[in-house]
């Protein structure tokens, strides 16, 4: 079972997908932290709202977007 080529390809694909998602999340968190660190406290709620809007857009399937 573990030597099946299709299984090996599936494991490598899953590992690559998870690694890419982690890299994207870490990068996004660093960008948000840098943005919030350099902002005034008055602007922070607006920045957080905008980040949430962008994340909702990215997590919505392309065929469900208006």
């Amino acid at each position: 079972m573990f030597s099946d080529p299709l299984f090996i390809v599936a494991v490598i694909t899953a590992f690559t997908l998870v690694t890419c998602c982690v890299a994207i999340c870490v990068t996004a968190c660093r960008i948000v932290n840098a943005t919030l660190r350099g902002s005034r406290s008055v602007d922070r709620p607006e920045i957080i709202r905008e980040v949430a809007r962008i994340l909702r857009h990215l997590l919505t399937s392309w065929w469900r977007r208006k």
Side-chain angles (χ1 to χ4, degrees), residues 2 9 16-17 19 22 28 37 39 42 46 48 53 60 64:
F2 293 122
V9 169
T16 304
L17 182 66
T19 304
V22 167
R37 192 177 317 118
S39 68
V42 175
E46 184 177 341
I48 292 171
R53 187 191 65 79
T60 303
R64 292 187 180 191

Side-chain angles (χ1 to χ4, degrees), residues 4-38:
D4 185 23
L6 187 59
F7 178 76
I8 293 171
V9 169
V11 168
I12 292 172
T13 303
F15 179 76
T16 304
L17 182 66
V18 169
T19 304
C20 287
C21 288
V22 167
I24 289 170
C25 288
V26 167
T27 303
C29 287
R30 287 186 179 180
I31 291 170
V32 169
N33 277 340
T35 304
L36 290 176
R37 192 177 317 118

